[in-house]
């Protein structure tokens, strides 16, 4: 009987890497930051020594990552205001990185300037072939 050594090694490594983290949740904390929390995977493989958080805009693959060591939460800063992001978390062991969790989508808050302009209505009144610009501000508080 012949044993496929590469298949055996692949199976052993798969068993030794952690499974995907559970219950991934996001909380948008500002126009440029998101806080990600998760629970440990059910199967820890050969042991977990950290996590990778993958993210990017929802229209692209998740190709940006940040590391989280010895924690089940991470704040991601420096994001763009009023933008959708897709996020996923993977656990790391000394045998490799496990599968990425199910994706979660979040949208950062509007920036102060964007909020201000979203509350202004621009109305154009055509009078005698002249156009007047009328600004009406909904709220004085931003």
């Amino acid at each position: 009987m012949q044993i496929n050594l590469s298949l055996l090694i692949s199976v052993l490594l798969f068993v030794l890497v952690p499974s995907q983290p559970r219950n991934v949740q996001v909380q948008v904390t500002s126009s440029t930051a998101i806080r990600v929390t998760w629970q440990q995977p059910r199967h820890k493989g050969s042991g977990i020594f950290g996590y990778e958080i993958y993210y990017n805009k929802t229209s692209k693959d998740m190709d940006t990552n940040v590391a989280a060591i010895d924690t089940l939460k991470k704040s991601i800063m420096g994001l763009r205001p009023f933008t959708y992001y897709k996020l996923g978390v993977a656990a790391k062991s000394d045998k490799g990185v496990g599968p990425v969790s199910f994706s979660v989508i979040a949208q950062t808050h509007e920036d102060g300037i964007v909020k201000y302009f979203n509350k202004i209505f621009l109305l154009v009144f055509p009078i005698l072939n002249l156009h007047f610009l009328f600004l009406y501000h909904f709220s004085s508080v931003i």
Side-chain angles (χ1 to χ4, degrees):
M1 180 167 89
Q2 187 177 7
I3 297 176
N4 185 339
L5 188 57
S6 64
L7 179 62
L8 179 62
I9 291 171
S10 296
V11 169
L12 286 175
L13 286 178
F14 181 75
V15 171
L16 296 175
V17 297
S19 61
Q20 66 189 65
R22 299 175 293 129
N23 198 23
V24 176
Q25 297 182 355
V26 294
Q27 176 186 12
V28 179
T29 56
S30 74
S31 62
T32 60
I34 294 175
R35 180 184 167 107
V36 185
T37 60
W38 61 91
Q39 293 177 345
Q40 289 185 345
R42 290 196 193 282
H43 306 286
K44 296 179 184 169
S46 63
I48 298 171
F49 69 81
Y51 294 89
E52 292 284 327
I53 297 93
Y54 298 92
Y55 68 94
N56 210 334
K57 289 185 180 181
T58 55
S59 62
K60 299 180 181 177
D61 293 331
M62 294 185 295
D63 60 359
T64 306
N65 67 319
V66 292
I69 300 172
D70 296 330
T71 184
L72 298 174
K73 61 187 172 189
K74 180 72 175 183
S75 289
I76 301 172
M77 297 179 223
L79 303 175
R80 295 181 63 194
F82 207 52
T83 303
Y84 285 99
Y85 288 91
K86 181 167 52 173
L87 301 102
V89 181
K92 297 188 300 187
S93 73
D94 60 346
K95 304 300 181 204
V97 179
V100 178
S101 66
F102 292 108
S103 298
V104 178
I105 296 174
Q107 182 183 27
T108 52
H109 294 309
E110 292 178 290
D111 201 354
I113 293 172
V114 174
K115 277 185 184 178
Y116 177 77
F117 283 113
N118 280 346
K119 293 183 185 210
I120 294 177
F121 285 99
L122 301 176
L123 302 174
V124 178
F125 293 98
I127 302 174
L128 300 174
N129 289 332
L130 297 175
H131 291 85
F132 294 95
L133 184 60
F134 178 75
L135 295 178
Y136 177 75
H137 191 263
F138 242 78
S139 169
S140 61
V141 180
I142 297 177

